[in-house]
Amino acid sequence: MMGNSISMIRKIWQSIRVQLVFSFMIMSIIVLVLSSVLIYYGVLDILKTRSEDSTLRLFQQTEQRIQGFRTEMDKVSKMLLLNPVIESYMNKEKEGTAYDADDVIQFNELLNQLSLLLKNYDVIASIYFLSSDGSIIGSRDDEPIVAYDKELKHWKEVMSTYEHVNRTLGESIWVSPEVSQRLLHNLSYRPQNEPIISVVRGFSTIYSKKWNAFIISVNESNLENMYGNLSKFGEDETFIYDGNGIIVSSSNKSAIGTQAAPQLMELGDSDYGSFTKDNNQVIYYRMHDTDWTLVRYVQISDLVRDIWSLRSKMMWIVVGNVVVALILSFYFIRKITMPLRRLTKGMGEVEKGQLGITLENVDNEIGMLTRGFNRMSQSIYDLVERNKAAEQEKRKIEISLLQSQLQPHFLYNTLNTIKWMAIAIQAKNIADSITFLSNLLKPIYNNPSLVWSLREEIQYLDNYIKVMNIRYGEHIVMQYRLPEELLDRSVLRFTLQPIVENAIVHGMEVNQVIGTILLEGREEGDTLILAIEDRGRGISENELASLNAWLANEESATREVPQFGIGLFNVQKRIRLHFGDQYGLAIHSVPGEETRVTLVLPHKIVI
């Protein structure tokens, strides 16, 4: 069962129609898949470009908000420098670490000013005043802080921060949440629940040589609110990293304080752009006048979310196209291959012996094959019919030859007896006549071959002329103009004698059978040409036309025998049966002067 199934599948697959349908289907599917892939990546590239452009515009808007925020915090730090209470405290020279009543009053006034500032700016989480002598005064929400750091750990952290960013102590710098935590470590009894970002401004007064610093801290969430709307989907991520590559703010809180991707650190002088990383489009933008860079991670799947929403529709479209392509390809390929199927069927019929089949023709390249097949089929049919007719004619001739051989056999033996009787009574002329006649009959009896040499044909012709001269009185002269090399050429037996007989009987009898018969021969390429000419009465134009028509029309020749007899027709028939219609007899005559019969034979005869 399995073998039969495999054989059936193999037979079906060998069909040109099936191969064409499957080839067309495969090409259609490949084209659809390649088109879909190209369209997908083309649309994805467009979406990436649009995403980058739209994000850049959003980044520019976000930059303005963040720059405004930074400017506002810088303004607050300058306000602190100009506050008279703060200025008075900074200019006071304090000896030792003991605090008196004036110090307490001054601390309270300073704390009141800081608390008032916190109430006016709700984005500020805490403000601390640090002095190089170890004094720390600050406020975090409603928590006042007054401390003295005798080991100057916090001030050393301030100095380390400035050195780390290669800035001078008098400038204001923004530091990451990690640095902010170190700067404000253990200054409050309450834990810091969320990351903070701090701006640090160092300064000194003209009345005091000591250095001081303000640390103004804001919750990172306040900064994140300024760009948080850039993350359209939960998988997106937007963050800011500083010049050291540390993430200072992010929509993903766990990423704060970590190092940005290495690719972001290798951007060179590019102010904005994008690249692809881990199935994400990474869009970056350097904010002017800062060392901060805005970065947005966009999931590629988010960009093609709308495309994938059409996936089922696209699949149905592809399936529909495949089905339509299958139906159309089957229809058109069936229409194209139908003539081939008819041609194959016709060839099978011809192979079985049904000759002469003709097929319906079409006007295309296959039609050329069909027309060629029709011509071939008809030609084979005609050829077979001609071969059948030729075989029948040959069979008839062979039968006639066999029948004719029976009579010469008996006749030859009888003539031999008569010859010896004539010799016994010394009748020489009778004996010679019988000898010549026996020589004529002997080749018919002893040699059944269809061809012999021209030399043997001439010997046979000489015996025939001797018999005729005994009959007519030695008045017939036979002349030969033949090159010696032609004598060995093969000719059909008994082709010249009927023509010579016609020349004697129909051409020379009016002249008491007196005259000369000339036999000439030559070769032209692959053709042997023999001509027999007599100087008899000739043939009139009407008789010559009738004779040539009779020789050319074989069917009429079998029904009607003209006055010239059937000898010429038999010679013509034999030559064409063996060698084809391009060979045969040609008769030329001038009435009252001559008749010339030309035989055209092949140079080499193979039978």
Side-chain angles (χ1 to χ4, degrees):
M1 181 66 70
M2 181 64 70
N4 293 335
S5 300
I6 295 175
S7 299
M8 183 177 296
I9 293 173
R10 185 181 294 112
K11 184 176 181 180
I12 293 174
W13 177 248
Q14 289 174 349
S15 171
I16 294 178
R17 180 187 300 179
V18 174
Q19 293 179 5
L20 288 175
V21 170
F22 272 93
S23 300
F24 185 80
M25 286 291 300
I26 292 172
M27 287 188 293
S28 299
I29 292 173
I30 291 174
V31 170
L32 286 173
V33 171
L34 288 178
S35 300
S36 301
V37 171
L38 292 176
I39 290 173
Y40 170 79
Y41 282 105
V43 171
L44 180 60
D45 187 60
I46 294 173
L47 291 175
K48 284 183 178 180
T49 303
R50 290 185 177 179
S51 175
E52 180 180 340
D53 294 340
S54 62
T55 302
L56 176 60
R57 290 192 294 269
L58 293 174
F59 276 171
Q60 291 172 342
Q61 297 173 6
T62 303
E63 179 189 26
Q64 295 177 1
R65 291 195 293 269
I66 294 177
Q67 290 285 29
F69 170 73
R70 288 171 60 101
T71 302
E72 188 68 19
M73 293 300 100
D74 188 64
K75 179 180 177 182
V76 170
S77 67
K78 291 179 180 179
M79 289 174 57
L80 290 173
L81 292 177
L82 298 176
N83 189 291
V85 175
I86 297 175
E87 185 178 7
S88 174
Y89 176 79
M90 289 187 299
N91 289 329
K92 179 182 178 181
E93 291 290 340
K94 186 176 184 303
E95 297 179 359
T97 59
Y99 294 98
D100 54 18
D102 291 337
D103 292 333
V104 174
I105 294 172
Q106 196 170 31
F107 288 159
N108 288 332
E109 290 179 351
L110 183 56
L111 288 173
N112 288 334
Q113 292 295 320
L114 296 179
S115 298
L116 181 62
L117 190 61
L118 288 176
K119 292 179 181 179
N120 293 333
Y121 293 91
D122 55 358
V123 297
I124 299 177
S126 63
I127 300 177
Y128 291 93
F129 173 76
L130 279 69
S131 176
S132 58
D133 61 4
S135 298
I136 301 175
I137 300 174
S139 177
R140 177 186 174 190
D141 296 332
D142 57 350
E143 177 191 359
I145 297 173
V146 177
Y148 180 74
D149 182 9
K150 62 180 179 178
E151 296 181 0
L152 302 178
K153 292 181 180 180
H154 290 84
W155 182 256
K156 291 178 181 178
E157 189 64 41
V158 170
M159 296 300 295
S160 174
T161 300
Y162 271 94
E163 292 174 359
H164 185 69
V165 296
N166 296 321
R167 308 289 279 282
T168 59
L169 190 57
E171 300 180 60
S172 63
I173 58 174
W174 287 80
V175 295
S176 64
E178 181 185 6
V179 176
S180 297
Q181 290 283 9
R182 292 200 308 267
L183 289 173
L184 306 179
H185 182 64
N186 290 334
L187 291 182
S188 174
Y189 66 89
R190 290 183 300 180
Q192 189 71 39
N193 295 324
E194 63 175 298
I196 58 173
I197 299 175
S198 302
V199 56
V200 182
R201 177 181 285 277
F203 62 92
S204 64
T205 66
I206 59 175
Y207 302 105
S208 175
K209 296 181 180 180
K210 67 180 179 180
W211 279 92
N212 306 283
F214 284 117
I215 301 177
I216 304 174
S217 302
V218 297
N219 291 327
E220 183 272 336
S221 58
N222 292 321
L223 181 60
E224 194 265 336
N225 288 337
M226 298 180 186
Y227 61 82
N229 60 343
L230 297 180
S231 300
K232 295 182 179 180
F233 305 100
E235 296 84 357
D236 289 354
E237 180 182 350
T238 306
F239 60 88
I240 299 174
Y241 71 90
D242 60 17
N244 296 318
I246 303 300
I247 297 176
V248 298
S249 178
S250 175
S251 58
N252 179 16
K253 302 306 177 184
S254 62
I256 296 176
T258 61
Q259 189 75 29
Q263 292 93 328
L264 292 171
M265 306 305 297
E266 300 172 357
L267 298 177
D269 297 332
S270 177
D271 290 333
Y272 65 89
S274 66
F275 59 88
T276 301
K277 175 181 179 293
D278 298 334
N279 200 32
N280 290 295
Q281 183 187 20
V282 182
I283 307 171
Y284 61 90
Y285 177 79
R286 297 187 192 277
M287 291 190 289
H288 298 83
D289 301 328
T290 71
D291 63 347
W292 284 0
T293 301
L294 266 169
V295 179
R296 181 186 178 192
Y297 275 37
V298 180
Q299 295 270 338
I300 299 296
S301 58
D302 293 337
L303 292 178
V304 297
R305 191 183 299 270
D306 293 335
I307 297 178
W308 287 113
S309 65
L310 298 175
R311 179 174 54 184
S312 60
K313 295 181 181 179
M314 292 178 65
M315 289 297 297
W316 282 111
I317 291 173
V318 171
V319 171
N321 287 336
V322 170
V323 172
V324 172
L326 178 61
I327 295 173
L328 292 178
S329 62
F330 183 82
Y331 172 75
F332 285 108
I333 290 174
R334 181 178 182 276
K335 189 174 181 180
I336 293 172
T337 57
M338 184 59 69
L340 284 177
R341 292 175 63 86
R342 289 198 296 264
L343 183 60
T344 304
K345 184 178 180 181
M347 293 178 69
E349 295 296 328
V350 171
E351 186 178 358
K352 294 177 182 178
Q354 299 294 327
L355 303 178
I357 294 175
T358 56
L359 303 176
E360 182 182 354
N361 204 357
V362 291
D363 294 331
N364 54 25
E365 288 82 356
I366 299 177
M368 298 175 62
L369 293 176
T370 304
R371 289 190 292 272
F373 172 80
N374 291 340
R375 290 193 298 269
M376 178 194 71
S377 176
Q378 192 61 42
S379 298
I380 293 176
Y381 177 79
D382 295 340
L383 180 61
V384 169
E385 291 299 318
R386 286 197 300 270
N387 286 339
K388 287 181 179 179
E391 289 297 326
Q392 291 176 357
E393 291 294 333
K394 288 182 181 178
R395 194 175 297 112
K396 290 179 181 178
I397 292 174
E398 289 174 357
I399 293 173
S400 299
L401 181 62
L402 289 175
Q403 290 177 344
S404 65
Q405 286 177 349
L406 295 175
Q407 296 172 356
H409 176 69
F410 169 76
L411 187 60
Y412 178 73
N413 292 333
T414 303
L415 290 175
N416 241 356
T417 302
I418 297 172
K419 172 185 173 183
W420 288 110
M421 291 174 64
I423 293 174
I425 63 174
Q426 296 183 352
K428 184 176 182 303
N429 57 340
I430 297 175
D432 290 342
S433 298
I434 293 174
T435 299
F436 297 149
L437 182 59
S438 297
N439 289 337
L440 286 175
L441 297 177
K442 187 176 181 180
I444 299 174
Y445 175 70
N446 290 338
N447 188 359
S449 175
L450 295 177
V451 297
W452 59 9
S453 67
L454 181 58
R455 188 187 309 276
E456 293 172 307
E457 181 75 9
I458 292 174
Q459 290 174 356
Y460 179 81
L461 190 59
D462 286 340
N463 286 319
Y464 172 76
I465 294 296
K466 290 177 181 178
V467 172
M468 291 296 102
N469 278 327
I470 291 174
R471 175 181 175 183
Y472 292 108
E474 301 292 338
H475 300 308
I476 303 171
V477 178
M478 194 73 197
Q479 291 184 353
Y480 302 99
R481 295 178 184 173
L482 298 169
E484 183 65 27
E485 62 270 14
L486 290 187
L487 297 179
D488 294 323
R489 297 287 184 262
S490 297
V491 295
L492 285 176
R493 299 174 69 192
F494 315 128
T495 54
L496 299 181
Q497 182 269 332
I499 300 173
V500 172
E501 182 179 359
N502 251 25
I504 294 172
V505 174
H506 300 290
M508 300 173 65
E509 278 188 344
V510 295
N511 298 328
Q512 286 90 34
V513 194
I514 297 173
T516 301
I517 300 175
L518 174 64
L519 173 61
E520 295 180 319
R522 68 182 187 278
E523 286 183 318
E524 292 183 1
D526 294 334
T527 302
L528 173 63
I529 299 175
L530 300 175
I532 298 175
E533 180 181 310
D534 69 88
R535 297 288 179 175
R537 70 180 181 87
I539 305 174
S540 67
E541 292 183 1
N542 292 334
E543 289 176 332
L544 182 62
S546 176
L547 178 60
N548 285 325
W550 181 68
L551 290 175
N553 190 347
E554 298 176 0
E555 293 185 0
S556 64
T558 59
R559 296 193 304 266
E560 180 183 357
V561 180
Q563 60 175 332
F564 302 103
I566 201 169
L568 292 178
F569 173 76
N570 282 341
V571 173
Q572 175 85 327
K573 185 72 172 179
R574 288 173 60 204
I575 292 174
R576 290 193 171 181
L577 280 175
H578 285 291
F579 310 126
D581 293 342
Q582 69 269 34
Y583 300 101
L585 302 179
I587 301 176
H588 171 76
S589 181
V590 178
E593 294 184 11
E594 65 175 8
T595 299
R596 185 180 183 88
V597 179
T598 303
L599 289 84
V600 180
L601 301 171
H603 172 71
K604 293 182 179 180
I605 296 177
V606 179
I607 297 179

